[in-house]
Amino acid sequence: AQSVTQPDIHITVSEGASLELRCNYSYGATPYLFWYVQSPGQGLQLLLKYFSGDTLVQGIKGFEAEFKRSQSSFNLRKPSVHWSDAAEYFCAVGPRYNTDKLIFGTGTRLQVFP
Amino acid sequence: DVKVTQSSRYLVKRTGEKVFLECVQDMDHENMFWYRQDPGLGLRLIYFSYDVKMKEKGDIPEGYSVSREKKERFSLILESASTNQTSMYLCASRPNLHSTDTQYFGPGTRLTVL
């Protein structure tokens, strides 16, 4: 079955520390991969996406993610977290050539301490 | 900038009421979506539409219907609201020009059914 796993429900980091949010997927073929962020009271905003090519992708707000085919992972990273990064982060996968049928992970809530 | 708006941020209804959630996008997108977001479950697709008067069931359509009479507007209807439909509802839209076009989300409607 197709699925997305975000193993960390809640992560707490200090401002300025590095961050890595994990995402693993189970899919028949290499899917399209996405990370979205949801700030409190807001809808989802696209951080970055991977379709093909370079496996390290850069996104907005200083985030990057690396696609590792052998590990079926698409982990999100940021070298130095800011207090404004506190939010919920969702990983999503979808079939190639059809971004209508996205499967979302259950989300990771990030808390940032000053 | 793409703008997806939802008619209400918060809504309180009683069991058995008919409920309409409205979504409007201003970018002439062909495809529109309704998701439900619950803690620990992530986002789940209820219905989507790829054209006026066209709709397709998502993963959890039971208890819901949709209407798309105009390209910019996509309505989610709860014919007889139940307490287990208390949730956050997110609308999204995307253009359908390229297979890599991504979804843009509205701010969400938090529905409470008493």
Side-chain angles (χ1 to χ4, degrees), chain B:
Chain B
D1 254 2
V2 175
K3 192 155 188 188
V4 180
T5 56
Q6 296 183 228
S7 52
S8 305
R9 295 300 298 273
Y10 299 94
L11 209 53
V12 180
K13 296 292 181 181
R14 297 209 174 271
T15 302
E17 280 194 74
K18 190 169 185 175
V19 182
F20 292 86
L21 302 183
E22 306 285 343
C23 175
V24 177
Q25 50 93 5
D26 66 355
M27 286 301 293
D28 203 35
H29 287 174
E30 286 76 17
N31 297 13
M32 297 187 74
F33 309 80
W34 275 107
Y35 291 90
R36 172 175 170 157
Q37 180 182 8
D38 298 290
L41 296 177
L43 277 72
R44 294 177 291 167
L45 182 64
I46 305 172
Y47 268 98
F48 73 99
S49 167
Y50 48 90
D51 201 352
V52 174
K53 297 192 187 294
M54 306 299 285
K55 61 185 180 184
E56 193 164 322
K57 291 180 180 179
D59 300 317
I60 52 164
E62 297 79 18
Y64 303 94
S65 62
V66 290
S67 172
R68 192 162 181 205
E69 297 295 319
K70 293 185 178 181
K71 190 175 185 179
E72 68 271 17
R73 187 180 296 270
F74 191 34
S75 302
L76 180 68
I77 303 158
L78 288 65
E79 293 288 342
S80 178
S82 63
T83 55
N84 63 13
Q85 292 178 310
T86 291
S87 186
M88 170 72 91
Y89 291 87
L90 292 170
C91 175
S93 72
R94 80 170 190 92
N96 197 20
L97 300 173
H98 309 288
S99 64
T100 54
D101 289 326
T102 54
Q103 296 185 25
Y104 296 85
F105 285 81
T109 296
R110 187 167 293 282
L111 172 67
T112 301
V113 183
L114 302 175

Side-chain angles (χ1 to χ4, degrees), chain A:
Chain A
Q2 299 163 348
S3 65
V4 178
T5 301
Q6 293 182 248
D8 304 305
I9 296 171
H10 189 197
I11 284 183
T12 302
V13 299
S14 298
E15 193 170 17
S18 63
L19 173 70
E20 182 169 28
L21 302 183
R22 295 182 291 165
C23 174
N24 293 95
Y25 64 89
S26 173
Y27 214 82
T30 301
Y32 286 170
L33 297 151
F34 307 83
W35 275 100
Y36 283 88
V37 60
Q38 185 179 34
S39 299
Q42 304 294 317
L44 273 68
Q45 181 183 20
L46 181 68
L47 279 176
L48 47 78
K49 59 195 175 188
Y50 173 78
F51 294 141
S52 64
D54 192 346
T55 56
L56 184 64
V57 293
Q58 303 296 321
I60 61 171
K61 306 186 184 204
F63 285 92
E64 66 178 27
E66 186 172 12
F67 168 58
K68 292 187 177 180
R69 186 191 308 274
S70 61
Q71 298 177 20
S72 297
S73 70
F74 189 54
N75 294 349
L76 182 71
R77 300 195 294 247
K78 187 169 184 178
S80 177
V81 170
H82 188 263
W83 64 265
S84 60
D85 293 324
E88 189 152 24
Y89 292 80
F90 292 93
C91 180
V93 302
R96 300 183 74 77
Y97 312 114
N98 184 356
T99 54
D100 287 335
K101 300 283 187 80
L102 297 184
I103 301 170
F104 285 84
T106 52
T108 297
R109 182 165 297 279
L110 174 66
Q111 194 169 5
V112 181
F113 281 113

